[in-house]
Amino acid sequence: MMRGTLVVAAVIMAAALWRSDALHAAGGSATRGKLAYQDCAACHGARGQGSDLAPGLRNIVGRKVADENGFAYSPALRRHGGVWSEERLAAFLLRPQAEVKGNRMAYAGAASAAEAADLVAYLKTIK
Ligand code: HEC
């Protein structure tokens, strides 16, 4: 009886741990991402609202690439096509020029893959 209860408790705990782990791995840290976003704010706006220099970034995860109305994107970014998945976004933020050769974003790239994941986690909070 007691043993069964312990097993159930262990399974519930393991599931809870797995869940927080999975969320972390998939999402990075939005808190750290918010700090890293300071590198983006001068162009994309303090809360991703966009500016004359750069497109807005609200709801960017799942949004079509180069789809902000009225922003004059480069041919390179338009050709990139499709939708910004978390993976494509992280790859672009890590190495913008390697990922989308010839794009016009003057940003060298995140310091690490972890920082790129943190940025994506933060971008998901900008709606
Ligand atoms: C110096 C200005 C500048 C900085 C700094 C900058 N960007 Fe950009 N960003 C741009 C411009 C300009 C474009 C459009 C590029 C093009 O059309 O080739 C762009 C495009 C993008 C896009 C694609 C948007 C879309 O509608 O498809 C994303 C996502 C993005 N930037 C995120 C970021 C993030 C996150 C940071 C900070 C880590 C950042 N950018 C830093 C200027 C900047």
Side-chain angles (χ1 to χ4, degrees):
M1 218 26 181
M2 188 62 191
R3 185 134 186 255
T5 309
L6 280 175
V7 169
V8 169
V11 167
I12 290 171
M13 274 179 63
L17 282 174
W18 175 82
R19 186 153 185 274
S20 64
D21 248 30
L23 282 177
H24 190 77
S29 155
T31 310
R32 283 196 305 264
K34 186 174 184 177
L35 290 177
Y37 182 81
Q38 288 172 358
D39 291 348
C40 328
C43 297
H44 288 283
R47 291 277 307 162
Q49 71 272 27
S51 72
D52 290 346
L53 296 174
L57 297 177
R58 288 178 180 147
N59 297 304
I60 192 71
V61 175
R63 203 170 93 183
K64 277 168 73 181
V65 173
D67 197 40
E68 169 116 321
N69 270 341
F71 187 79
Y73 291 100
S74 65
L77 197 64
R78 287 184 194 281
R79 271 196 309 273
H80 196 47
V83 161
W84 285 119
S85 65
E86 292 186 36
E87 292 73 19
R88 293 182 86 201
L89 207 47
F92 175 59
L93 295 177
L94 186 57
R95 288 170 217 242
Q97 283 304 327
E99 187 67 10
V100 184
K101 198 170 165 21
N103 84 78
R104 280 201 284 263
M105 175 161 111
Y107 169 71
S112 63
E115 188 178 275
D118 292 343
L119 282 163
V120 172
Y122 174 65
L123 289 176
K124 284 164 73 178
T125 71
I126 296 181
K127 307 226 182 255

